Amino acid sequence: MTVRGKSFGTEKLKIGELAELANVTKRTIDHYTNIGILKVERSPSNYRYYDISCVNTIREVNDMKSSGMSLDMIRKKMIEKDTEEIDVRALRWKLKDLNTEVTEILNHKELSQAKKDLSKESQTLIQSLLLLLN
Protein backbone atom coordinates (compact mmCIF):
# COMPACT_ATOMS: atom_id res chain seq x y z
CA MET A 1 0.00 0.00 0.00
CA THR A 2 1.28 3.46 -0.82
CA VAL A 3 0.20 6.42 1.30
CA ARG A 4 1.62 9.92 0.77
CA GLY A 5 4.48 8.57 -1.30
CA LYS A 6 5.53 5.97 1.28
CA SER A 7 5.23 2.28 0.57
CA PHE A 8 3.91 -0.01 3.30
CA GLY A 9 3.74 -3.78 3.52
CA THR A 10 2.91 -5.92 6.51
CA GLU A 11 4.52 -3.78 9.20
CA LYS A 12 2.49 -2.54 12.13
CA LEU A 13 1.83 1.11 12.85
CA LYS A 14 1.90 2.95 16.14
CA ILE A 15 -1.14 5.06 16.92
CA GLY A 16 0.60 8.32 15.93
CA GLU A 17 1.71 6.87 12.60
CA LEU A 18 -1.79 5.62 11.86
CA ALA A 19 -3.28 8.98 12.82
CA GLU A 20 -0.93 10.79 10.47
CA LEU A 21 -1.50 8.42 7.55
CA ALA A 22 -5.29 8.42 7.98
CA ASN A 23 -5.41 12.17 8.65
CA VAL A 24 -7.31 11.81 11.93
CA THR A 25 -6.43 12.44 15.55
CA LYS A 26 -5.10 9.87 18.00
CA ARG A 27 -8.25 10.48 20.02
CA THR A 28 -10.37 9.41 17.01
CA ILE A 29 -8.33 6.21 16.70
CA ASP A 30 -8.75 5.57 20.43
CA HIS A 31 -12.50 6.02 20.11
CA TYR A 32 -12.76 3.75 17.04
CA THR A 33 -10.69 1.14 18.85
CA ASN A 34 -12.79 1.34 22.02
CA ILE A 35 -16.08 0.89 20.16
CA GLY A 36 -14.73 -2.01 18.09
CA ILE A 37 -14.29 -0.44 14.67
CA LEU A 38 -10.50 -0.80 14.68
CA LYS A 39 -8.55 -3.83 15.83
CA VAL A 40 -5.40 -3.31 17.83
CA GLU A 41 -2.56 -5.60 18.81
CA ARG A 42 -0.67 -5.07 22.04
CA SER A 43 3.06 -5.58 22.37
CA PRO A 44 4.52 -7.25 25.48
CA SER A 45 5.28 -3.73 26.74
CA ASN A 46 1.61 -2.79 26.14
CA TYR A 47 2.20 -0.56 23.10
CA ARG A 48 -0.67 -0.51 20.62
CA TYR A 49 0.05 -1.54 17.06
CA TYR A 50 -2.34 -1.30 14.13
CA ASP A 51 -2.29 -3.10 10.80
CA ILE A 52 -1.81 -0.90 7.74
CA SER A 53 -5.30 -1.96 6.59
CA CYS A 54 -6.68 0.28 9.36
CA VAL A 55 -5.94 3.26 7.09
CA ASN A 56 -8.51 1.93 4.62
CA THR A 57 -10.91 1.11 7.45
CA ILE A 58 -10.75 4.70 8.68
CA ARG A 59 -11.38 5.95 5.13
CA GLU A 60 -14.42 3.66 4.87
CA VAL A 61 -15.68 4.95 8.22
CA ASN A 62 -15.27 8.55 7.07
CA ASP A 63 -17.16 7.81 3.83
CA MET A 64 -20.00 6.15 5.75
CA LYS A 65 -20.13 9.03 8.24
CA SER A 66 -20.31 11.47 5.32
CA SER A 67 -23.30 9.58 3.97
CA GLY A 68 -25.10 10.06 7.29
CA MET A 69 -24.45 6.75 9.07
CA SER A 70 -23.95 6.82 12.82
CA LEU A 71 -20.86 5.27 14.39
CA ASP A 72 -23.06 2.59 15.94
CA MET A 73 -24.42 1.64 12.52
CA ILE A 74 -20.89 1.67 11.10
CA ARG A 75 -19.63 -0.54 13.92
CA LYS A 76 -22.42 -3.05 13.31
CA LYS A 77 -21.69 -3.07 9.59
CA MET A 78 -17.97 -3.71 10.26
CA ILE A 79 -18.82 -6.58 12.62
CA GLU A 80 -21.15 -8.10 10.00
CA LYS A 81 -18.40 -7.80 7.39
CA ASP A 82 -15.91 -9.59 9.67
CA THR A 83 -18.47 -12.28 10.50
CA GLU A 84 -19.22 -12.94 6.83
CA GLU A 85 -15.50 -13.31 6.09
CA ILE A 86 -15.11 -15.77 8.94
CA ASP A 87 -18.09 -17.81 7.79
CA VAL A 88 -16.72 -18.08 4.25
CA ARG A 89 -13.33 -19.23 5.52
CA ALA A 90 -14.95 -21.81 7.78
CA LEU A 91 -17.06 -23.08 4.90
CA ARG A 92 -14.00 -23.40 2.67
CA TRP A 93 -12.19 -25.45 5.32
CA LYS A 94 -15.23 -27.66 5.81
CA LEU A 95 -15.51 -28.22 2.06
CA LYS A 96 -11.82 -29.08 1.87
CA ASP A 97 -12.23 -31.62 4.68
CA LEU A 98 -15.32 -33.05 3.00
CA ASN A 99 -13.52 -33.36 -0.32
CA THR A 100 -10.66 -35.22 1.36
CA GLU A 101 -13.07 -37.56 3.16
CA VAL A 102 -15.08 -38.33 0.03
CA THR A 103 -11.96 -38.85 -2.11
CA GLU A 104 -10.47 -41.27 0.40
CA ILE A 105 -13.67 -43.28 0.64
CA LEU A 106 -14.24 -43.38 -3.12
CA ASN A 107 -10.68 -44.55 -3.70
CA HIS A 108 -11.26 -47.57 -1.47
CA LYS A 109 -14.91 -48.54 -1.92
CA GLU A 110 -17.73 -48.74 -4.38
CA LEU A 111 -20.18 -45.83 -4.44
CA SER A 112 -23.03 -47.70 -2.70
CA GLN A 113 -20.73 -48.70 0.15
CA ALA A 114 -19.12 -45.25 0.23
CA LYS A 115 -22.42 -43.52 1.08
CA LYS A 116 -22.79 -45.73 4.14
CA ASP A 117 -19.32 -44.76 5.35
CA LEU A 118 -19.86 -40.99 5.14
CA SER A 119 -20.69 -39.22 8.37
CA LYS A 120 -24.25 -37.88 8.72
CA GLU A 121 -22.82 -34.36 8.68
CA SER A 122 -21.00 -35.03 5.41
CA GLN A 123 -24.10 -36.54 3.82
CA THR A 124 -26.15 -33.51 4.83
CA LEU A 125 -23.50 -31.14 3.50
CA ILE A 126 -23.34 -32.99 0.17
CA GLN A 127 -27.13 -32.83 -0.14
CA SER A 128 -27.10 -29.08 0.62
CA LEU A 129 -24.36 -28.46 -1.92
CA LEU A 130 -26.24 -30.43 -4.57
CA LEU A 131 -29.35 -28.33 -3.92
CA LEU A 132 -27.32 -25.13 -4.29
CA LEU A 133 -25.64 -26.30 -7.47
CA ASN A 134 -28.88 -27.38 -9.17
Side-chain angles (χ1 to χ4, degrees):
M1 169 185 270
T2 303
V3 180
R4 294 186 186 172
K6 291 183 179 180
S7 183
F8 295 92
T10 58
E11 68 271 6
K12 301 295 180 183
L13 303 171
K14 294 179 184 174
I15 189 169
E17 295 168 326
L18 177 59
E20 183 180 342
L21 289 173
N23 200 28
V24 295
T25 65
K26 289 190 238 180
R27 187 174 175 177
T28 297
I29 293 173
D30 278 336
H31 184 62
Y32 289 177
T33 302
N34 289 336
I35 64 173
I37 290 175
L38 293 177
K39 294 180 184 119
V40 66
E41 294 177 26
R42 293 272 183 181
S43 71
S45 56
N46 211 27
Y47 284 102
R48 290 174 291 179
Y49 287 98
Y50 294 86
D51 189 270
I52 190 70
S53 65
C54 288
V55 175
N56 286 332
T57 301
I58 292 170
R59 288 179 182 156
E60 287 177 41
V61 169
N62 288 339
D63 289 345
M64 288 186 266
K65 280 175 51 181
S66 295
S67 71
M69 288 180 74
S70 69
L71 281 178
D72 188 50
M73 290 170 56
I74 293 168
R75 181 185 60 79
K76 288 176 184 175
K77 187 171 185 160
M78 296 288 191
I79 290 170
E80 286 174 11
K81 181 181 168 185
D82 287 345
T83 303
E84 287 174 12
E85 289 173 8
I86 290 169
D87 290 344
V88 169
R89 277 187 253 138
L91 180 59
R92 285 185 181 141
W93 280 107
K94 189 66 180 169
L95 285 173
K96 185 178 178 183
D97 291 342
L98 176 62
N99 184 44
T100 302
E101 183 180 351
V102 169
T103 302
E104 287 175 6
I105 291 172
L106 291 178
N107 285 338
H108 294 90
K109 308 218 177 189
E110 291 184 25
L111 190 57
S112 60
Q113 183 62 37
K115 188 175 178 183
K116 294 177 188 174
D117 292 340
L118 286 173
S119 68
K120 286 287 186 193
E121 183 181 46
S122 295
Q123 289 179 29
T124 303
L125 186 54
I126 289 170
Q127 289 172 344
S128 298
L129 289 171
L130 288 172
L131 286 172
L132 289 172
L133 295 173
N134 290 330

